[in-house]
Amino acid sequence: MLDVLVGLPQKDGSLSNTAKLRVNLILNPIVTSISPVKGFSGQMQEIRITGSTFYNFDSLHVKAVMKGSTDFLLDCLSLSNEVVMITSPNALDIHLYNYRKMYLYVSTNGVDYSEQSVFYTFMDEPHITELTDYDADYQGNIEIGVIGMHLTADVTH
């Protein structure tokens, strides 16, 4: 909160017809995290951006920055002063599949963006090329060897 005194200057240096104007200062948003932090390149996914001072709901903007690409704005939905929701673009549709990280910045006025950014990582979708070494027992437990591309540690089923 800032009080500003407005008036007309007089020859003696004083002000006449003064009025006090109270101004609310809104700080640039501070971005601290996102959830989830990664997703598949060919899919659109809802992403929650968490931080603080996400005021001015009508003017919230989220800017995406990717290496080798122009910056672009993403539609966002304000859930509170601390949470904004966006939908990631389909990286394959906009030909951004060579770049894996999308840096996200939040603005409350469309001009001044957060100094901090968070990034969302695009992953290639898993592709199974071969199933090998299957084994089953009488209790219904089955083990199968899987060979493929882009299989990550969190792919367990």
Side-chain angles (χ1 to χ4, degrees):
M1 191 75 63
L2 177 66
D3 289 329
V4 178
L5 191 60
V6 179
L8 299 172
Q10 300 299 310
K11 291 181 181 179
D12 64 0
S14 65
L15 295 175
S16 68
N17 300 328
T18 60
K20 186 184 275 189
L21 177 66
R22 183 158 279 178
V23 178
N24 285 329
L25 296 177
I26 297 177
L27 302 174
N28 285 345
I30 298 171
V31 177
T32 56
S33 66
I34 63 169
S35 177
V37 296
K38 60 185 175 179
F40 295 119
S41 298
Q43 298 176 357
M44 297 171 71
Q45 181 165 345
E46 289 183 349
I47 301 171
R48 285 177 176 250
I49 302 172
T50 305
S52 60
T53 63
F54 293 171
Y55 301 114
N56 202 9
F57 300 145
D58 295 334
S59 297
L60 276 175
H61 292 80
V62 175
K63 178 173 66 172
V65 178
M66 297 184 77
K67 181 180 177 184
S69 171
T70 57
D71 304 347
F72 53 96
L73 296 177
L74 297 170
D75 291 333
C76 63
L77 173 64
S78 176
L79 301 180
S80 72
N81 291 341
E82 299 175 345
V83 179
V84 174
M85 183 172 289
I86 63 166
T87 301
S88 72
N90 180 331
L92 300 178
D93 286 348
I94 54 177
H95 306 292
L96 296 175
Y97 46 85
N98 289 330
Y99 307 105
R100 299 290 178 223
K101 291 184 180 178
M102 176 175 64
Y103 293 87
L104 300 169
Y105 299 85
V106 177
S107 171
T108 55
N109 61 13
V111 178
D112 302 312
Y113 285 87
S114 56
E115 293 179 12
Q116 312 80 10
S117 69
V118 289
F119 64 88
Y120 179 80
T121 303
F122 290 105
M123 302 182 311
D124 290 321
E125 295 192 33
H127 178 74
I128 297 173
T129 58
E130 187 178 348
L131 300 176
T132 63
D133 301 328
Y134 61 90
D135 188 22
D137 61 23
Y138 291 109
Q139 288 134 356
N141 297 317
I142 301 173
E143 291 185 14
I144 300 174
V146 177
I147 299 173
M149 297 171 49
H150 313 298
L151 302 176
T152 61
D154 57 356
V155 177
T156 58
H157 302 299

